[in-house]
Amino acid sequence: MSTQTLHAPGHSPAPKGGKVGGGLLDPKQMIKSLPDALKKLNPANMWRNPVMFIVEIGAVFTTVLAVLDPSIFAWAIVVWLWLTVVFANLAEAVAEGRGKAQAATLRAAKRDTTARRLKSPDDHSQWDVVGAPELQQGDIVIVEAGEIIPGDGDVIDGIASVDESAITGESAPVIRESGGDRSAVTGGTKVLSDQIIVQITQKPGESFVDRMIALVEGANRQKTPNEIALNILLAALTIIFLVATATMQPLAIFSKSINPGVPNSLALTNDGVTGIVLVSLIVCLIPTTIGALLSAIGIAGMDRLVQRNVLAMSGRAVEAAGDVSTLLLDKTGTITLGNRQAAEFVPVPGVSEKELAEAAQLSSLADETPEGRSIVVFAKKAYGLRERQPGELAHAAWVPFTAQTRMSGVDLDGREVRKGAATAVMKWVRDHGGHPTDEVGHLVDGISASGGTPLVVAEKGRVLGVIHLKDVVKEGMRERFDEMRRMGIRTVMITGDNPLTAKAIADEAGVDDFLAEATPEDKLALIRKEQEGGRLVAMTGDGTNDAPALAQSDVGVAMNTGTSAAKEAGNMVDLDSNPTKLIEIVEIGKQLLITRGALTTFSIANDIAKYFAIIPAMFAAVYPGLDALNIMRLASAQSAILAAVIFNALVIIALIPLALRGVRYRPSSASKLLSRNLYVYGLGGIIVPFIGIKLIDLLIQFLPGMS
């Protein structure tokens, strides 16, 4: 089975850190989506959208009336009312149709994949072959080079190079190994070398691929709280306009009774307003534009995340990203380049640099982090320390780094050497009967004040000195954080460094606040404190120790390279494992909310022009004074009503590209966004219909039955 990159049809992979220009409407895509739009005419589907359900009922009613009393005007109204409903469904069908091709590819990949399931966890030579969909949580499978990983899980034995391009679109392979934060693997990816034993962590039907299929098809898209609230508002407005329109009938009957000399017309008879005109009035006055586009806007927002290689578990997560007011960002790899390098060994008085370098190297031999490797290399190059042979370290007891102890080291031949955060190492020295001198504190403070990271090295009972690690803030981060401030978002840097180091980096990067020497408990407490103040919090994480904080945050973005626990706890997964993408996710969320608000404003505003088109056309003959409201000077009552109905349908099609692409977002304050929204889409929503209806009236006024 070949691996295929998951991207929306018609879009190339998003450049790393670049903007995605998705959303342009492809006419071929509209044609392909037309059958789905027609299927959505089923009333069982339409009732979920009360605005468009009313339009469909009106279309059915006018069809019956046109059959009973046919005329060109009546059938023209019928055709355009049905087109209004179809165009509304087409907007949603096009948005959903973007994921059909990817979903088909992913579903076929899953269906065709087989797995070698071990009969016994302890015996790797005995297995049976089963289909990937048959795997259960807890099953253990063996995967060799050239084979597809059959399901989501954790590597429990072995190490391998894995091609994840089928999921992430990134061609470079990644390393997956047992233990640590690089053990999680995803079903559908391919092992390129060696062999791994994988324990399945997914439940049937709930794998990463299953969720991605549901996402790109729009099958699991539930309405978000804001969307539900807007639907309630639209339903309320619809009811109000229905009641208001119902009053037109007795008013028309009364008006005709006191003005019997007024001739009957297609709009007004002795029995009041004709049914077709009454339905046209209702359809033009209720907010059909936003009612038609609301679902497409939400689906398109999730689609923009897919184009960014971010999997959102629900639309609620995308919407919450737009309302985020606090952003928690890890320092390493997000704000800084993350490749801190050993630059200097600073011994305390009485200790030589070479003695400190030897101890620092010894304590770092088992440290596979970039920092640990840089310490070993720097000690070798700067002080000529030889490499130790495997036999010399056979009896070494390595002490791994943990978030709780914040230090690591080794016990070898009676020596106990530790390196790590200053407070943790000095506490360890005191616990072993030592007395750290004030010089250590001065060295730590000096390195921290310069923006470096100090690691204290100690041997049982005494401090040897400090390792100076240097880190670099990523280019352009200060400008990005300035944008966040203009958006009203508070940024907080999370780091395990001491407060002085954290402050130096925070000042250079331009974040609003920082949390130093952070433990998992500290992160969780900070998130809860922010949420108690009414703020929505977003954060990224990749390790099991990040899972509680990811679960607590309103927007938790887990890295795809992280553990299964982290991915289960978050409500988004970044397939590229790029922590800085959290900023872009927030921007996409805000763009979704702004697009919805802009089109809602436009939809309600353009009803004003329709008042000036239809109301004078209906009653000007009875009340000549109303002719003053016919400021567009429309040709006749029939052409005015039909022009309004046609414009009402065409504006939906015209706005589909904007709904899919989203309104362009510029970081600014809420008041400025509101002003721009009212100026562009409020005023524009009033002016555009006047122009559009008048142009349509000029085109149709000479058609038969329009006089």
Side-chain angles (χ1 to χ4, degrees):
M1 184 187 70
S2 62
T3 58
Q4 299 190 35
T5 303
L6 175 65
H7 288 292
H11 295 285
S12 60
K16 305 301 180 192
K19 297 290 183 185
V20 179
L24 296 178
L25 193 61
D26 182 359
K28 294 181 180 179
Q29 196 173 45
M30 290 185 65
I31 295 173
K32 290 180 181 179
S33 301
L34 189 57
D36 290 330
L38 296 175
K39 291 177 184 177
K40 289 178 180 290
L41 291 174
N42 185 343
N45 174 74
M46 291 296 298
W47 74 267
R48 295 184 177 88
N49 187 339
V51 176
M52 299 316 300
F53 187 48
I54 292 294
V55 178
E56 184 175 41
I57 293 174
V60 172
F61 180 63
T62 53
T63 302
V64 174
L65 293 179
V67 171
L68 297 177
D69 186 14
S71 68
I72 294 176
F73 172 74
W75 280 109
I77 293 291
V78 168
V79 169
W80 282 102
L81 288 182
W82 279 112
L83 286 176
T84 302
V85 184
V86 172
F87 290 165
N89 290 340
L90 188 62
E92 184 174 357
V94 169
E96 291 177 351
R98 291 163 169 257
K100 297 283 185 186
Q102 307 101 293
T105 300
L106 290 168
R107 189 176 282 110
K110 181 179 178 182
R111 183 181 60 247
D112 298 340
T113 301
T114 58
R116 290 188 291 162
R117 182 174 57 188
L118 296 181
K119 295 182 178 180
S120 171
D122 301 323
D123 186 358
H124 296 175
S125 62
Q126 299 293 322
W127 65 76
D128 50 11
V129 179
V130 299
E134 299 177 37
L135 291 173
Q136 301 292 321
Q137 192 175 32
D139 284 348
I140 297 176
V141 298
I142 183 170
V143 191
E144 293 183 345
E147 296 181 344
I148 301 298
I149 297 174
D152 299 353
D154 288 324
V155 179
I156 59 175
D157 187 27
I159 180 172
S161 175
V162 179
D163 175 11
E164 295 187 339
S165 61
I167 301 296
T168 67
E170 179 60 61
S171 59
V174 296
I175 300 298
R176 291 290 177 261
E177 59 185 333
S178 59
D181 291 343
R182 296 189 296 174
S183 60
V185 292
T186 305
T189 58
K190 185 177 183 180
V191 175
L192 299 179
S193 67
D194 304 298
Q195 171 184 289
I196 51 176
I197 308 297
V198 178
Q199 183 173 34
I200 301 299
T201 57
Q202 72 188 43
K203 295 179 181 178
E206 297 182 8
S207 71
F208 194 82
V209 171
D210 288 321
R211 285 180 289 176
M212 184 170 284
I213 290 172
L215 170 70
V216 297
E217 286 188 324
N220 73 335
R221 200 192 79 86
Q222 298 180 347
K223 290 183 178 179
T224 64
N226 282 351
E227 209 171 336
I228 292 171
L230 185 54
N231 264 313
I232 293 173
L233 173 63
L234 297 180
L237 289 175
T238 301
I239 293 172
I240 291 171
F241 284 123
L242 281 172
V243 173
T245 306
T247 63
M248 294 288 182
Q249 190 70 311
L251 176 63
I253 295 172
F254 174 75
S255 300
K256 283 289 291 182
S257 66
I258 63 175
N259 295 280
V262 175
N264 289 339
S265 67
L266 286 175
L268 197 62
T269 68
N270 290 330
D271 296 326
V273 181
T274 59
I276 287 179
V277 172
L278 205 60
V279 171
S280 300
L281 177 62
I282 293 172
V283 170
C284 287
L285 296 188
I286 62 178
T288 50
T289 306
I290 186 60
L293 299 174
L294 185 59
S295 181
I297 293 169
I299 295 172
M302 297 183 74
D303 179 65
R304 283 192 289 276
L305 279 181
V306 171
Q307 293 176 42
R308 294 281 191 181
N309 277 351
V310 176
L311 174 63
M313 304 308 175
S314 69
R316 179 174 301 198
V318 186
E319 193 172 87
D323 285 328
V324 160
S325 49
T326 300
L327 215 56
L328 304 187
L329 300 163
D330 278 331
K331 176 180 77 75
T332 305
T334 304
I335 296 174
T336 64
L337 293 175
N339 55 347
R340 294 180 298 180
Q341 302 292 308
E344 185 182 10
F345 293 133
V346 186
V348 299
V351 177
S352 68
E353 289 187 19
K354 190 166 186 178
E355 183 182 0
L356 172 60
E358 190 272 339
Q361 185 190 59
L362 180 63
S363 64
S364 303
L365 288 174
D367 187 348
E368 293 300 323
T369 64
E371 293 86 352
R373 290 195 292 269
S374 76
I375 292 171
V376 174
V377 171
F378 182 71
K380 181 181 178 182
K381 288 183 177 179
Y383 298 95
L385 297 178
R386 65 180 180 83
E387 294 184 8
R388 288 174 169 79
Q389 300 302 318
E392 298 179 69
L393 304 175
H395 303 293
W398 303 105
V399 179
F401 176 86
T402 68
Q404 283 70 33
T405 63
R406 304 203 311 278
M407 63 181 179
S408 61
V410 63
D411 297 339
L412 177 65
D413 298 331
R415 298 181 65 187
E416 296 180 27
V417 183
R418 299 289 186 271
K419 79 169 193 302
T423 54
V425 174
M426 287 193 283
K427 181 180 182 300
W428 178 80
V429 170
R430 293 189 191 96
D431 291 343
H432 287 73
H435 300 282
T437 62
D438 293 338
E439 285 82 357
V440 179
H442 294 318
L443 294 176
V444 169
D445 293 345
I447 293 172
S448 300
S450 69
T453 300
L455 292 182
V456 175
V457 180
E459 197 166 346
K460 186 176 180 180
R462 65 179 184 138
V463 174
L464 300 178
V466 184
I467 304 170
H468 183 182
L469 298 178
K470 285 188 176 179
D471 204 349
V472 181
V473 174
K474 291 182 178 179
E475 185 178 355
M477 291 307 295
R478 176 173 284 276
E479 289 74 16
R480 297 297 295 273
F481 291 135
D482 288 341
E483 287 183 6
M484 294 291 108
R485 263 186 293 279
R486 288 196 293 271
M487 294 159 58
I489 295 176
R490 177 171 173 264
T491 52
V492 181
M493 182 183 76
I494 307 295
T495 177
D497 293 336
N498 67 72
L500 285 175
T501 301
K503 185 178 187 307
I505 296 294
D507 290 342
E508 184 180 351
V511 296
D512 297 311
D513 203 352
F514 63 89
L515 177 66
E517 297 181 340
T519 64
E521 293 78 13
D522 294 333
K523 294 180 185 179
L524 192 59
L526 176 61
I527 292 172
R528 287 174 175 166
K529 181 180 177 182
E530 293 288 326
Q531 290 172 333
E532 286 171 2
R535 293 174 172 267
L536 266 63
V537 180
M539 74 161 288
T540 60
D542 58 2
T544 301
N545 62 345
D546 290 323
L550 286 170
Q552 180 67 35
S553 59
D554 300 285
V555 179
V557 184
M559 301 295 101
N560 190 44
T561 54
T563 62
S564 297
K567 289 193 279 189
E568 288 295 326
N571 50 25
M572 291 189 188
V573 177
D574 177 15
L575 303 179
D576 294 330
S577 299
N578 178 9
T580 60
K581 199 179 289 182
L582 179 58
I583 299 174
E584 297 174 18
I585 291 171
V586 171
E587 291 177 348
I588 290 173
K590 286 193 175 294
Q591 186 186 37
L592 168 65
L593 297 180
I594 290 170
T595 302
R596 186 184 295 160
L599 293 183
T600 300
T601 303
F602 183 90
S603 178
I604 295 175
N606 71 19
D607 288 338
I608 295 175
K610 298 170 193 172
Y611 285 119
F612 285 91
I614 295 183
I615 300 299
M618 290 172 56
F619 292 102
V622 179
Y623 300 105
L626 286 177
D627 192 56
L629 296 178
N630 185 16
I631 59 178
M632 288 181 277
R633 313 317 300 171
L634 302 177
S636 66
Q638 289 76 23
S639 67
I641 294 167
L642 182 58
V645 171
I646 293 174
F647 175 83
N648 195 62
L650 293 180
V651 75
I652 295 174
I653 284 290
L655 289 176
I656 289 178
L658 182 61
L660 299 183
R661 184 178 62 250
V663 174
R664 184 179 178 184
Y665 174 67
R666 298 182 184 90
S668 59
S669 65
S671 60
K672 288 184 178 179
L673 286 174
L674 178 61
S675 298
R676 184 167 64 91
N677 193 31
L678 292 175
Y679 180 73
V680 176
Y681 296 97
L683 186 59
I686 295 174
I687 295 174
V688 170
F690 277 96
I691 299 172
I693 292 174
K694 179 61 180 177
L695 290 175
I696 295 172
D697 177 73
L698 292 173
L699 292 174
I700 67 173
Q701 61 179 309
F702 300 110
L703 295 177
M706 291 299 110
S707 59

